[in-house]
Amino acid sequence: MKKAATLKSNDLILHTDESKAKRPPFKLEETLICLLHRGPSGLIQPEAQDAYRESCLHTVISMLQNDYGILIMRRQEPKRNKYRKPFTRYSLTDGKAELLAVCLLNNLRFKRCMAPIVVGDYSTLINQAA
């Protein structure tokens, strides 16, 4: 018969907001955090790759627009050299899109047992996603 595990005084763990989460952040959550944090400057594929290892940004952006109704503005970046296709820069269109993004982000955070964020307070989000 197995003995029940007992908690010793040196086994106490510091619980932060991220340590209470049931699972790591969703891909949509990380994309929304980057879009909200960058604001009007937006996000392109290499920046998403550097920020959270996203390899198919166009697919996630399409899902945000088609499935969740969040309007995303698309702008073509200038070509870096003649052999490479230019990247598309994605950003939220207006305040309504920002509000929908925050609502979806809070819903995803709720599923992970995380505290909701406040509209307009995106400066600390980028540290929480990592």
Side-chain angles (χ1 to χ4, degrees):
M1 180 178 285
K2 293 183 180 180
K3 293 182 180 180
T6 58
L7 181 65
K8 299 175 186 173
S9 61
N10 57 358
D11 290 342
L12 295 177
I13 299 170
L14 176 65
H15 289 286
T16 61
D17 195 32
E18 194 62 34
S19 69
K20 293 179 187 176
K22 289 184 176 180
R23 64 175 306 254
F26 295 97
K27 183 189 282 192
L28 281 176
E29 188 177 346
E30 291 179 326
T31 304
L32 289 169
I33 286 171
C34 280
L35 284 172
L36 289 169
H37 179 72
R38 291 175 181 268
S41 65
L43 185 66
I44 60 174
Q45 177 62 51
E47 295 169 350
Q49 179 72 25
D50 292 341
Y52 61 99
R53 308 290 296 161
E54 175 62 61
S55 59
C56 295
L57 182 63
H58 62 282
T59 304
V60 178
I61 294 295
S62 177
M63 184 187 318
L64 285 172
Q65 187 154 357
N66 296 333
D67 296 347
Y68 297 103
I70 299 173
L71 294 178
I72 307 288
M73 183 170 36
R74 293 165 168 84
R75 295 185 310 262
Q76 289 294 319
E77 287 287 298
K79 285 187 175 183
R80 295 188 180 169
N81 61 30
K82 65 180 183 177
Y83 301 109
R84 188 156 202 157
K85 185 177 176 185
F87 290 106
T88 302
R89 183 166 292 277
Y90 304 101
S91 61
L92 297 171
T93 55
D94 56 0
K96 183 180 176 185
E98 181 182 340
L99 186 61
L100 286 171
V102 170
C103 289
L104 177 59
L105 181 60
N106 283 335
N107 187 16
L108 294 171
R109 289 175 63 86
F110 176 77
K111 289 180 182 180
R112 296 189 318 117
C113 299
M114 300 287 295
I117 62 160
V118 180
V119 177
D121 184 27
Y122 312 125
S123 59
T124 59
L125 281 179
I126 205 71
N127 296 331
Q128 292 178 4

